[in-house]
Amino acid sequence: GKAVAAPVSSFADLWSERLPEAIRHQSATFYVDYWAYGPGNEWFDKFLSALRPAEGGDMPTTPEVARSLNLDERLLDLLPRSWKRPSSTTTPPAKGKKP
């Protein structure tokens, strides 16, 4: 399912053991939601590649992910948090009718 609201954790905190697993899961869902379905969707393949573990199994650091996407590290949080999802209660206009 999609995360409904912005997470309480930052992108960098997704790998932190300090946060409960449920919070990390909700946060991860929120960030993937943006990259898969939001304005970041054209970069989704690059995003997934940037998250690929190294040969030794180590997860990439936040700065490494940002570098892979050619983004400032802060944008990994700011872009998804600034995304305004369309309301699910709004019905699309009927075919052929102007809104």
Side-chain angles (χ1 to χ4, degrees), residues 7 10-11 14 16 20 23 29 36 40 44 52 64 78 88 93:
S10 70
F11 184 83
L14 294 178
S16 170
I23 290 176
T29 302
F44 188 58
R52 186 172 292 135
E64 289 170 338
L78 295 176
S88 62

Side-chain angles (χ1 to χ4, degrees), residues 43-85:
W43 294 355
F44 188 58
D45 291 342
K46 282 184 169 185
F47 178 71
L48 290 179
S49 293
L51 293 173
R52 186 172 292 135
E55 285 188 30
D58 294 333
M59 288 300 294
T61 64
T62 302
E64 289 170 338
V65 172
R67 269 194 306 276
S68 294
L69 295 170
N70 200 26
L71 292 174
D72 183 291
E73 187 177 331
R74 294 171 295 186
L75 291 177
L76 291 174
D77 279 314
L78 295 176
L79 289 172
R81 289 173 187 272
S82 65
W83 177 35
K84 303 290 186 231
R85 292 173 184 79

